[in-house]
Amino acid sequence: MTYLKGVGPKRAESLEKLGIRTVKDLLYHFPRDYADYSSTVDIADTVENENNVICAKVVKRLSPAFIRKGMTIFRAVVADDTGELTVVIYNSSYQFDALVYGETFILSGKVTGNLLRREMSSPVILKASVPDKIQPLYHLTEGLTQQVLRTAVKNGLTLLNTEIYEPVPKKYLIENNLCSLAFALENIHFPKDIKTLEMARNRLIFDEFLVLQLGMNLLKTKKTESTGCKMKGCSISEFEAALPFELTNAQKKAISDCISDMQKSVSMNRLVQGDVGSGKTAVAAACAYFVAKNKMQTALMAPTEILANQHYETLKQFLEPLGIKVCLLTGTMTKAEKSRIKEQLLSGEASVCVGTHALIQSTTIFNRLGLVITDEQHRFGVEQRARLSSKGENPHRLVMSATPIPRTLALMIYGDLDISVINELPKGRNPVFTYAVTGKLRQRAFGFVKKRLDEGRQAYIICPMIEESDADLKSVEKYAADISKNDFSGYRVGLLHGKMNSEKKEAVMSEFKDGKTDILVSTTVVEVGVDVPNAAVMVIENADRFGLSQLHQLRGRVGRGKHQSYCILITDNVTEQSKKRLRILSSTTDGFKISEEDLKLRGPGDFFGQRQHGLPRLRIANMAENMDMLHIAQNIAKRITDADPILLKTENKGLKRLVDDLFSDELDLN
Ligand code: ADP
Ligand code: MG
């Protein structure tokens, strides 16, 4: 950047803070908005007390009025065919001098006065002949002004103009009425009019989606490597017969998808996506059973120790009666225990190992690892998925996620995986009754909770922890102490939050699981996957602070047993928007529907949390708003990679470079 005209070392430093290091970065630093001086109104039609843009000739320049020291008022009268208006400028003789008598200007500013005498104070002044009547407004940082950036971009554009290449093969552009990249880059910064801006934006949105989807397709191709773990078909009826319940059809379908994948000579890469409570663990267990029958091992990785423990208990219960040894590997074990388990894995004595991500990945050596299962994968990014080093000989991979995502998005976010959806809950589940109330009704809500506790049930109370700050932590601790002294004196109250070490968390969680506490006050650490069937009530404080999908996940912690379950959302923030959101939650328990609504209401940024999906950041495209373009780009990406799976053809060279840039940036960042 230093070498670009008008930049220099100092500004280059400021630009770097915006992530701009090269001219390409600069050209892809798109305006956040525009100041539009392209459509003007007649002076007679200006609206008082609002911003107006007029085009008028200077017909009179008045002598400056010196009000007092340091305060001079300059006035000029401008006119068009419909009337006159006085322009008022404070102190700036420089600005006043710009208003040359007899010349025409575009003036933008707030109009005050009345029908007889209109004024415009301190307007933006442009010569009527300026080429850029729509001016870009950029995100700035210290040491930069809009003008500096505009000039830099202008210079950057002239530099590139001769060199700009067209990464997308022409036929796709023509087919979809898309402009050239050169035109798009020029017009996203300096559009001639609204229409060219729209064309530019469309093209750049298209590019962004296309490159992203191509990247995902490439990842998928890369992963279809031959596996050293091709399995033989065998029946799992013994496993099914030993289960305490009948598998749902959706579970059976997911299991058979996996089993048929694992018999192929390329590695399985499958996502099992199922709403909370849909029974993904049983699917994992069935796969582990199948793998064990093939005399190979399974690793199940969970995001937290609590979940690892829970999966261990479940898998042990399902598999050990069938003679399959399941072991657990967590950070809180002693060194001796860990090395004993690792020996069992190395010797092949243990068939299934459950543990946290880090533990299984680092130093653990398997005898013959055939399948790696990751739970709640949406917390890990694409890069991590891509990197997940294969231990052994390219084992099969199964990812389980409880985040129901509309199909188009899933194609993008999990485009590197095949997808099975569990769209059915086990029979006999009663939907969780959900109510939204204000804080005024807290006492009644607590009364209701007590009744359920007295019937022998247990309850969660969720308090949001906005930041993992000490102040927030205190307030959760205080909350728990308060209710156990006052509202729930005589009941046993537990407290769980993310700042506890895993040993402590473990202890609190198992006390709750074993029924030794009645109420668990918790932050969102219980969000993921915890299964306590006797817990039948959940109260969520400050419910408006959570996203809909997150509330749905939280609510999924109840309604897991035979008891009718309840979820009470407490909020004092009763805006139309928050009411609408909570109403959606009360009216449906369909996670897919909820996520679609969430997407509509908040957009995908929030929907997935802070880049939780792990995709590279989108600069200009928006997955919710530009759904049509997403479809077009996905379709073309498919045609391109079907014909040229790893983008070797000359016509795809430009695209390949963009894909490489995007994904390697991503890896550098993390
Ligand atoms: P999730 O998909 O949220 O991970 P889990 O695997 O934890 O769901 O299952 C939720 C609960 O439902 C568990 O208690 C499990 O034993 C039970 N369950 C799973 N499958 C069935 C089924 N087919 N019929 C009845 N209960 C089931
Ligand atoms: Mg689960």
Side-chain angles (χ1 to χ4, degrees), residues 117-137:
R117 198 170 159 281
R118 286 169 213 265
E119 272 187 16
M120 187 184 269
S121 301
S122 318
V124 175
I125 302 169
L126 301 176
K127 282 205 179 109
S129 57
V130 291
D132 309 316
K133 295 204 178 64
I134 301 180
Q135 299 202 338
L137 298 170

Side-chain angles (χ1 to χ4, degrees), residues 243-249 251 272-284 307 310-311 314 317-318 375-376 400-402 422 424-429 528-533 553 556-557 559-561:
L243 279 178
F245 45 73
E246 166 115 26
L247 290 171
T248 63
N249 286 328
Q251 282 171 315
V272 170
Q273 200 186 31
D275 210 346
V276 278
S278 60
K280 292 182 288 293
T281 322
V283 173
L307 270 185
Q310 183 180 296
H311 284 324
T314 311
Q317 180 203 333
F318 290 166
D375 192 15
E376 312 294 349
M400 302 195 291
S401 167
I422 310 185
E424 180 187 6
L425 291 183
K427 273 193 225 61
R429 283 281 166 77
V528 183
V530 172
D531 190 31
V532 181
Q553 293 282 322
R557 299 307 112 220
R560 307 188 134 245

Side-chain angles (χ1 to χ4, degrees), residues 167-169 171-173 175-176 178 205-221 408 411-413 415-416 628-649 651-652 655-656 659 662-663:
V168 178
K171 61 180 167 190
Y172 300 122
L173 298 179
E175 207 177 274
N176 293 288
L178 293 164
I205 290 171
F206 169 80
D207 278 19
E208 199 159 42
F209 281 146
L210 181 69
V211 171
L212 201 51
Q213 189 67 58
L214 282 172
M216 296 310 284
N217 293 3
L218 255 57
L219 270 179
K220 187 166 183 170
T221 313
T408 338
L411 259 181
M412 180 63 93
I413 292 163
D416 54 332
D628 291 343
M629 193 54 93
L630 178 58
H631 283 295
I632 292 173
Q634 283 179 333
N635 176 292
I636 292 177
K638 184 169 176 342
R639 281 161 61 194
I640 292 175
T641 44
D642 278 354
D644 183 14
I646 50 172
L647 304 184
L648 286 178
K649 290 190 186 162
E651 60 171 28
N652 295 328
L655 284 171
K656 176 75 166 58
V659 172
L662 184 67
F663 282 82

Side-chain angles (χ1 to χ4, degrees), residues 378-522:
H378 67 288
R379 300 190 162 243
F380 312 114
V382 178
E383 328 86 87
Q384 275 161 304
R385 272 201 318 264
R387 263 199 230 139
L388 222 167
S389 66
S390 27
K391 290 180 170 289
E393 300 146 86
N394 251 333
H396 299 286
R397 291 186 206 111
L398 173 61
V399 172
M400 302 195 291
S401 167
T403 315
I405 306 173
R407 179 151 178 85
T408 338
L409 293 186
L411 259 181
M412 180 63 93
I413 292 163
Y414 293 117
D416 54 332
L417 307 172
D418 297 310
I419 302 178
S420 300
V421 177
I422 310 185
N423 52 3
E424 180 187 6
L425 291 183
K427 273 193 225 61
R429 283 281 166 77
N430 298 315
V432 178
F433 290 152
T434 304
Y435 309 97
V437 301
T438 63
K440 284 198 199 109
L441 292 180
R442 186 176 283 105
Q443 291 314 315
R444 273 183 63 188
F446 282 173
F448 179 84
V449 173
K450 273 188 216 164
K451 268 201 198 123
R452 304 283 88 73
L453 296 179
D454 294 341
E455 288 166 11
R457 301 289 78 74
Q458 287 163 285
Y460 293 102
I461 300 183
I462 309 296
C463 298
M465 213 154 127
I466 305 311
E467 313 148 40
E468 295 279 307
S469 71
D470 289 344
D472 262 15
L473 182 59
K474 278 238 169 58
S475 72
V476 178
E477 278 168 346
K478 184 168 177 308
Y479 184 97
D482 278 354
I483 64 161
S484 74
K485 249 189 273 143
N486 304 315
D487 304 277
F488 292 99
S489 64
Y491 296 88
R492 297 158 302 176
V493 178
L495 173 64
L496 185 72
H497 59 73
K499 285 259 162 114
M500 291 172 164
N501 64 28
S502 26
E503 225 163 309
K504 180 82 180 119
K505 273 192 243 172
E506 208 50 56
V508 171
M509 208 53 230
S510 48
E511 273 178 10
F512 188 62
K513 234 179 157 157
D514 300 342
K516 289 184 189 139
T517 40
D518 304 301
I519 301 175
L520 185 62
V521 174
S522 171

